[in-house]
Each structure stands twice: as structure tokens, then as C-alpha cells.
Amino acid sequence: MRNSSSIDDSTWEGLADALLLADVGVVTTDALVDGLRKQVGREGVADADGLLRLLKVEFLARLGDADRNLTLGGEPSVWLFVGVNGVGKTTTIGKLGHRESVAGHRVVFAAGDTFRAAAADQLSLWADRSGSAVVRGAEGADPSSVVYDAVAHAASRGADLVLADTAGRIHTKANLMDELSKVRRVAEKGAGTVTETLLVIDATTGQNGLVQARQFAEAVDVTGIVLTKLDGSARGGIVVAVQDDLGIPVKLVGVGEGVDDLVPFDPEEFVDALFAADVPA
Amino acid sequence: MFESLTNRFDGILRKVRGKGRLGPDDVDEFLREVRVALLEADVHLEVVRTLQDRIRERAVGAELAGALNPGQQVVKIVLEELTEILGGEAVRLPYASKPPTVVLLAGLQGAGKTTTAAKLARWYKARGRNPILIGADLQRPAAVEQLRTLGDRIGVPVFSEPSDPVAVARAGLAEAARLGRDVVVCDTAGRLAIDDDLMAEVAEVSGVLEPHHTFLVIDAMTGQDAVSTAEAFHARLGLDALVLTKLDGDARGGAALSIKEVVGCPVAFASTGEGLEDFETFHPDRLAGRILGMGDVETLIEKAEETFEKEQAEAAAARMLEGTFTLDDFLDQIRALRQMGPISNLMGMVPGMAQQMRNADADVDVDDGRIDRIEGIISSMTPAERFDPDIIDGSRRARIARGSGTQAGEINQLVKQFREMRKMMKQMGGRGVAKKKSRKGRKAGGGRTTARGPVPVDRKKGLSLPGLGDQASVPGLPSDSLDLLGDRPKG
């Protein structure tokens, strides 16, 4: 680090701080900063702007050019939504149902959260907004059977997409994770095929997000992440580690409570936002 | 690989504990590990720095003297700093001199406000109060229906109307007065701290309610953003305390530590499960102990005292020490233990247990299903077999396996471990105080934190049982019986 006229220790510290405060995590942050230090020395980058450019490139390389499209292909296709409590699964389904209806799909909602009081009511209200059908069971009913019924309903009415809600569950509860595996299996017992299993993660989630992703991936073979509540002050940096470690890409981003506030994930925008306010001098 | 804060501290403390003296290099190494551990536990960056500085100052300084060796001294310093940040005693929640006592809940979307509202109302009701719930979340579809359902479940009236949150709050107060309710718990919509309009709205709700207690409901999994969120809500509402939710997972809850340090807001309640009864007043000193791997002994004892027949437990403990403990006693204890709640919740409270479970990784799966099987096996035995498992031969074993839907191997394992446990209990009874070596390839020191650590454990006569820590208290249940519950391979 000879040419440190404008990149000095405080620059590095500021950089690490920004990453840590964005919940990127201490392991990923230390690895990134170490790699950059070497690269900066090698390539003779002299100013903080150059450093930030390098960092951005590094981030984008980590996030990769993963396929972030949502896959169809079943008759009907089933997209299953999983995650811990309160991350926004039901809301995400509501918004996505609207989007897919507008795109010309015939959508059926499966109210697979039979645990939380009034969860099915919440989903039904969303279904009304997008004109989708909703299949629900009694409170406390077996979620697998609700999803199975929804798939059968979709198949009989010629609907091509089932969005299946599930109850939030803490990933450490073995019996609830088993229940989820069963939902995933039973969803394919009838006509449908599960073409997406989306893990919903709240952007305010800290380092526990990686543990969550690992456990859910083990239980249901997660195909993508939906990062919700990114319109707040939290940056959702943990998804970098999730993609790095587990290879699961973020596919959708929730940015508000309105029906249109669900957008495709844009890695560049995401990386820019990571540093939006706390760019090191 | 992310480890829990407790787990990581165990590793560091073990390293430091073995040393006779502690040089500046040791302190630095310790502090590096502390930094990583705290950051992985979602403690805010600034708080991590403060904590590191304080620990360094004290660890390298003059305090390294006295009866404790330097390693023990550092453990003590870390514990004290954590405890100090978390705040001294449990939060007190006085009732208003002129009822009703009004509680306002606020927080981000999905933190668990609605569930917390119901749990809190239930908590007040259990204390002889007559609460009413106000549903002022008119934002999230069906939030009011959710609250009404929960209200029905706990037998607490719910007030709401499709107007606006401020009007609901005002009318809710009037309704509380009309019905003569003495506690009002108001649920509000989740909102982002940066949403000025909604933050102004909740401030207006607060202005109408003039709450005696304003709680920020915050998810234990929250990352670095927790502090700015709490600051924003505090600026608008003047927070009195936090309710920390989803603490039943493996999230380490560093957010609580950070908020206390930066905003000064203590945690009043912790929500530890999906059941409406999974809600307890929060004891900061206990969390500090838990962070350091000392387990939440006091909570466990309290739970035990609520559910155990004390005499029965004492009798069993006596038989245990005599070596006449039978499988029947064991079954009684498993059942009593289960009344205290899901086993997985309890395990985290046992000192040394949490890290033992982690050390053994996936091999130990102390879940309720496993305990069902043990119950099944013992229940399928005749009284004679329970009294003396040695009489179980091949044909008896086959019958028990059929009766309980298990395999002969599982029965063998249970009986063998039970026999070892009983033998050891007897030896201990003879010797008095437990001083055992770790038996089954446990990492050294894994279960010893309590006895050697600086925090005095509340020991109850007749409830103190060996094997977990040197003197950890798991009422009525010897720790080695926990081995029976786990699938620990023998080393």
C-alpha cells in the first residue's frame, strides 16, 4: 500500500464499516476487504473512487449472472413460498398474483398458512384485488392438503399457476421443517409441478439470514430468494452471503405495501444502494 | 460458518481459561474473537467497539489480581460488561394510579406486534387484570380479524372500527371506559422508520392514548438496522422498553444489546414461541449468562417449580443418589419435564447443554419426537422390567419393540445408558459433590461453565443434580438422562 495518498487506513476502515452496517456480515466483509487490498496494491489504484469501482465489480462477480427468472412449466406450475414468521410471504404472494394475472396467467392462491389466525383472510383479500381464486382450508388444517386441493382446483379450471402460501416457521423447529418438506412433496402428488420454491427474507434480517437460508434449502430445495422490505433503511446485505455460500439468487424484491411494489432484483442497483449513504470518504 | 455467540465464547473462554496468566497478546486475540462473535450476533458495530474498548481496558489493567486467575477474571469482565449493557434488573411495569393502564405497541412490519398484543393481554389477564385489545392496524389486510381471533382465544374483548387509527384509538379508550377494563393494549400497523407520514400517524395515536408504556416490538433476528429503527421510534414515541420476538430460534438477539446500549431501551418481554403462553418477562442478567453459555438456569427453575411436585422430585433425587432410581422414576421425570413446554425450548436454558448439543452437531437431536419414543419404550415395559431392566431378554425386548413401535437396538441403548447413569448417580451419592470427568467424548469444559463461572447459580436443595455443570440444577432430571434423549454416539 505505497500509494496511499488518498487510500489510507481510515478508507479501509470506512469501507469495512459500510459493509458491516449493511449486514453483509463479518466473514464476507473481511474476505472482500482483504481481496481488495491485494488488488489495489497490484493494480495501483490510488483513489477511493477507483476502490469503489473495484468493489462494485467484485460484488457483481459474487452475485453473478444467475438466472433470476421465475420458471413455469407445470400444468399447473406451483410456486411455493417459505420463510420465518413475519417476513412477508402472504403480501408477496398477493403482489405476485396481481403481476402474473396482469401478465395473462390464471392464478390460484393456496392458503397454506393454516396456523396464523386470519392468514387465509389476509390472502383472500389479496386474491380479490387481483381477481384470483383462493383455495383455503379450516384453521389448523393440514397445509399439504390445502395445497393439494388448490393444485387440483387449478387443474380442473385450467389455471396455470398456483401460488402456495405457508405458515411462517422458525428454521430450528424440526417438526415444522418436516411439515414443509411434506407440503413440497404433496404439491406434486396431483397434476402440478413445483417449479419455484421461494424463500422470503426480510431485508432487516441480520446474520441469522444465512442460517435460515441453509435450513430452508435443506428442507425444500429453495430456488430463489424474495428480499422484502427493501424500501426501509435496511440494506439486506446478508443475501450476498446467501448467494455466495449457497448459490441461491435473489429473484424478487419487495419495496412497499402497494400491489405493484414487487420488482425483479437488479444486482447493480442493489450494490449501489449498499453504499448509498455511507460511502467512505 | 456462523456459530452462536454462546458457542463462540465457549471456544474463546476455554482457551483463555487454561492459561495461568494473560498477556496483551492474549487479550488481543480474545478481543478479535469477541468482535467476530458479537458482529455475527448482530450486535451493532459501534457497540462492538465500545465493548471491546471496555474489556481491553479492564483486562490489561490492574484488575487482574485477587483470588481468580486471569482467565476467570476475563470471563467475569465480559459477563459484567454484557450484563451492564443489558441493564441491571427486570423492567418493572407499574399500573396507572387511575386505570386503565395503557400500553402501545409499535414496530416494523412483521416484527410480531399483533401476536405480541394478544400475548401481553393474556399476560395481564393471568395477573388478574381485565385487559382490552385495540386493533389500530387498519393497513395490513385482515390484521384486525387476526387480533379478534386471538382475542377470542384468550377471552379478551377486541375493539376496532374501519375508520382511521387515531379515531380507533380514541374510540377504543372510550370503549375501555364503558366496559370498565383496567388495561388497554393497542396494536398498530407495522411501519418503516423512514416513512414520515406513518411515523407521524403513530405519534398521533400515541398523543390520543397517552400510553403509560410504549413498547417497540422487535424481531430477535434483526441486523444492524435495529439501532436506527429504535432511534427513530424513540424520537417519535418515547419508548419505554422493547419486546423481543422470535427468540425461540437460533438468532442471537444482538439487536437487544445494541438498542439498550445506544437508545437506552431495556427489554421488557421476550417472546419464545408461537403459543400465546410463550411469553415471559425478560431478565437481562439471565441473557448475559446465556450469551456466555451459562444457560438460563433461573427460568428453568421457575418453570420447574410451576410444574413439578416438589416432594416427588426430592424423593426421586434421593432414590437416584441411592442407586435405586428406576425407569419408572425416569418416565415420571420426562413427563414432568414435558409439562414445562417443548423440550427443545428447555434445552437452551440448561447450562452447558446448548453447546453440548452443538458440539455433537447433528448427532444430537433432542426433540420431542425422540422423547415420545422413549416414553413409548418405557410404557411398553412391565413394572418388573421398569424396576429392573436387567431382566429384559430377547423375547421381552421383541415384545417391547412391538409395543412401542421401535427397534430392539433403541431399547438396548436406552437400557444401557440408563444403567450407566444409575451407576454414576450412585457413585455420586456416595461421594457427595459431583466431580466427574466428561464421559462421552464431550469437549472438555463443555458443561462446566456454571460452576467455574462467576455467576452464582441458584441452587435448591433437592433440586440440584450433577452432570450438567458441576452443580447445574435441572430439577429432578439428571443431565445424564439427557444423554438418553439424544442420539449421542459413544466415544
Side-chain angles (χ1 to χ4, degrees):
Chain A
M1 295 299 299
R2 298 231 168 74
N3 47 359
S4 61
S5 59
S6 51
I7 301 180
D8 56 17
D9 280 353
S10 71
T11 316
W12 290 112
E13 197 178 319
L15 182 64
D17 286 4
L19 293 172
L20 290 171
L21 288 171
D23 290 318
V24 168
V26 63
V27 174
T28 310
T29 296
D30 288 354
L32 273 168
V33 170
D34 283 354
L36 274 180
R37 270 182 187 269
K38 288 186 190 124
Q39 209 183 344
V40 163
R42 215 166 41 232
E43 299 179 13
V45 174
D47 58 353
D49 276 353
L51 177 61
L52 272 180
R53 270 195 300 277
L54 282 183
L55 182 67
K56 206 172 150 184
V57 170
E58 176 60 31
F59 254 110
L60 292 176
R62 277 169 189 258
L63 290 172
D65 43 8
D67 181 5
R68 302 182 191 279
N69 293 311
L70 298 173
T71 312
L72 288 160
E75 289 181 5
S77 301
V78 181
W79 294 352
L80 183 66
F81 293 79
V82 302
V84 299
N85 315 62
V87 287
K89 288 176 292 299
T90 308
T91 305
T92 298
I93 291 176
K95 295 183 210 171
L96 194 60
H98 174 75
R99 192 184 94 173
E100 297 301 323
S101 297
V102 169
H105 292 290
R106 294 190 60 191
V107 181
V108 172
F109 289 179
D113 181 354
T114 54
F115 180 80
R116 180 165 58 95
D121 294 340
Q122 185 182 348
L123 193 66
S124 298
L125 288 167
W126 278 105
D128 291 346
R129 291 181 191 177
S130 62
S132 306
V134 61
V135 173
R136 47 192 294 181
E139 205 175 293
D142 179 1
S144 301
S145 71
V146 175
V147 174
Y148 181 87
D149 289 348
V151 171
H153 178 89
S156 70
R157 306 291 162 93
D160 57 346
L161 182 59
V162 175
L163 301 183
D165 197 9
T166 60
R169 64 202 70 221
I170 308 273
H171 49 280
T172 52
K173 308 247 156 111
N175 55 338
L176 294 181
M177 295 306 277
D178 289 347
E179 178 190 86
L180 201 58
S181 306
K182 183 181 164 197
V183 169
R184 169 79 176 69
R185 282 195 307 276
V186 171
E188 294 194 329
K189 289 265 187 216
T193 308
V194 178
T195 55
E196 291 286 348
T197 304
L198 298 169
L199 172 65
V200 183
I201 292 184
D202 181 332
T204 58
T205 309
Q207 300 310 301
N208 195 247
L210 183 56
V211 189
Q212 285 172 29
R214 192 174 286 127
Q215 296 299 322
F216 276 98
E218 202 166 288
V220 287
D221 191 17
V222 174
T223 57
I225 304 287
V226 181
L227 186 60
T228 57
K229 310 180 198 172
L230 204 57
D231 47 329
S233 48
R235 304 281 155 79
I238 190 60
V239 297
V240 178
V242 170
Q243 181 162 350
D244 230 16
D245 266 36
L246 304 173
I248 305 172
V250 182
K251 295 195 166 176
L252 295 168
V253 171
V255 291
E257 289 178 308
V259 71
D260 294 316
D261 294 329
L262 186 74
V263 298
F265 178 71
D266 178 340
E268 285 207 41
E269 234 172 75
F270 175 76
V271 173
D272 284 341
L274 276 185
F275 301 104
D278 7 340
V279 171
Chain B
M1 180 69 196
F2 292 101
E3 301 169 271
S4 82
L5 187 53
T6 309
N7 205 356
R8 189 177 279 276
F9 271 17
D10 285 341
I12 310 167
L13 297 182
R14 253 199 305 280
K15 229 185 301 178
V16 178
R17 250 192 223 125
K19 301 217 176 198
R21 5 176 90 253
L22 201 67
D25 289 350
D26 293 326
V27 173
D28 280 344
E29 189 193 353
F30 191 81
L31 289 175
R32 269 196 299 276
E33 295 283 336
V34 168
R35 169 183 173 269
V36 173
L38 293 177
L39 284 173
E40 286 190 347
D42 295 318
V43 176
H44 192 270
L45 186 57
E46 294 304 324
V47 178
V48 173
R49 293 214 171 104
T50 315
L51 202 53
Q52 274 182 298
D53 289 347
R54 284 193 219 151
I55 296 169
R56 187 198 312 275
E57 201 174 300
R58 292 182 56 186
V60 182
E63 282 185 51
L64 282 187
L68 298 173
N69 72 35
Q72 291 170 325
Q73 196 76 28
V74 170
V75 176
K76 184 162 175 282
I77 290 169
V78 176
L79 182 70
E80 283 172 1
E81 292 297 337
L82 290 180
T83 309
E84 177 152 342
I85 285 184
L86 284 163
E89 294 165 20
V91 177
R92 293 176 52 82
L93 297 170
Y95 295 100
S97 52
K98 186 170 167 290
T101 303
V102 180
V103 184
L104 175 63
L105 302 178
L108 302 178
Q109 289 92 344
K113 287 174 296 302
T114 306
T115 306
T116 296
K119 287 181 173 184
L120 189 58
R122 181 187 176 279
W123 185 86
Y124 274 118
K125 195 180 175 197
R127 271 146 196 83
R129 300 285 156 165
N130 297 301
I132 181 172
L133 285 157
I134 299 181
D137 179 357
L138 308 179
Q139 192 86 11
R140 178 165 58 95
V144 172
E145 283 88 332
Q146 182 183 355
L147 193 65
R148 287 194 195 283
T149 307
L150 296 174
D152 280 351
R153 215 173 279 171
I154 57 177
V156 168
V158 175
F159 175 83
S160 190
E161 56 180 31
S163 51
D164 68 87
V166 179
V168 169
R170 192 171 291 122
L173 278 185
E175 182 71 359
R178 192 179 68 81
L179 297 174
R181 311 303 286 189
D182 54 10
V183 173
V184 172
V185 178
C186 182
D187 183 27
T188 61
R191 64 201 75 225
L192 295 167
I194 56 169
D195 188 328
D196 279 337
D197 291 348
L198 285 179
M199 290 300 282
E201 179 201 87
V202 74
E204 212 179 322
V205 169
S206 173
V208 167
L209 288 176
E210 297 181 345
H212 302 91
H213 309 299
T214 301
F215 294 153
L216 177 69
V217 180
I218 193 145
D219 186 329
M221 301 170 191
T222 312
Q224 297 284 321
D225 196 50
V227 167
S228 44
T229 296
E231 278 176 328
F233 276 93
H234 190 53
R236 292 277 192 172
L237 300 175
L239 299 176
D240 296 299
L242 308 178
V243 177
L244 193 61
T245 59
K246 308 179 204 171
L247 206 57
D248 47 331
D250 53 4
R252 285 145 263 163
L257 193 88
S258 307
I259 294 173
K260 180 61 174 49
E261 169 73 4
V262 178
V263 186
C265 234
V267 183
F269 292 96
S271 181
T272 54
E274 291 184 327
L276 292 175
E277 70 287 354
D278 296 327
F279 188 69
E280 46 198 50
T281 47
F282 183 79
H283 298 262
D285 47 333
R286 295 182 193 177
L287 184 72
R290 193 159 160 164
I291 287 170
L292 285 181
M294 292 167 179
D296 190 356
V297 177
E298 287 174 59
T299 301
L300 190 60
I301 289 173
E302 274 175 16
K303 281 205 177 250
E305 286 178 343
E306 282 172 18
T307 37
F308 269 85
E309 296 289 339
K310 197 174 173 193
E311 283 170 22
Q312 187 191 342
E314 281 179 357
R319 279 201 298 281
M320 204 177 298
L321 294 178
E322 288 163 16
T324 54
F325 186 72
T326 67
L327 276 167
D328 256 334
D329 293 322
F330 182 56
L331 188 60
D332 282 347
Q333 287 174 7
I334 287 179
R335 286 178 176 156
L337 191 68
R338 297 195 83 169
Q339 284 170 24
M340 290 158 64
I343 297 293
S344 46
N345 281 5
L346 298 174
M347 288 301 110
M349 299 175 189
V350 177
M353 200 59 213
Q355 69 264 32
Q356 279 180 26
M357 288 165 71
R358 280 193 296 271
N359 288 345
D361 285 332
D363 293 331
V364 177
D365 185 16
V366 184
D367 60 24
D368 292 85
R370 170 105 188 125
I371 291 168
D372 282 338
R373 298 166 76 81
I374 290 175
E375 263 201 74
I377 291 174
I378 301 179
S379 301
S380 300
M381 293 179 181
T382 64
E385 287 162 354
R386 295 184 203 184
F387 183 75
D388 181 11
D390 289 341
I391 64 170
I392 297 175
D393 56 15
S395 99
R396 283 175 186 267
R397 194 156 42 234
R399 191 203 77 243
I400 295 166
R402 268 199 313 280
S404 57
T406 57
Q407 302 294 319
E410 282 179 77
I411 298 164
N412 281 340
Q413 196 190 6
L414 176 73
V415 168
K416 192 170 163 207
Q417 289 180 337
F418 173 76
R419 207 179 286 143
E420 277 179 27
M421 173 184 105
R422 190 167 59 178
K423 197 168 99 193
M424 205 173 54
M425 290 293 128
K426 194 176 177 184
Q427 285 168 359
M428 281 173 192
R431 231 183 316 158
V433 179
K435 260 293 179 196
K436 81 182 182 79
K437 277 174 69 176
S438 98
R439 205 165 42 97
K440 289 178 184 165
R442 282 179 202 153
K443 291 185 184 168
R448 322 197 72 126
T449 326
T450 304
R452 288 204 181 174
V455 174
V457 174
D458 192 357
R459 295 178 198 163
K460 308 258 163 161
K461 190 169 178 293
L463 293 177
S464 181
L465 289 161
L468 277 172
D470 286 350
Q471 279 291 325
S473 303
V474 185
L477 184 75
S479 70
D480 291 77
S481 63
L482 293 170
D483 288 351
L484 298 172
L485 311 182
D487 232 341
R488 199 192 315 279
K490 296 220 177 179

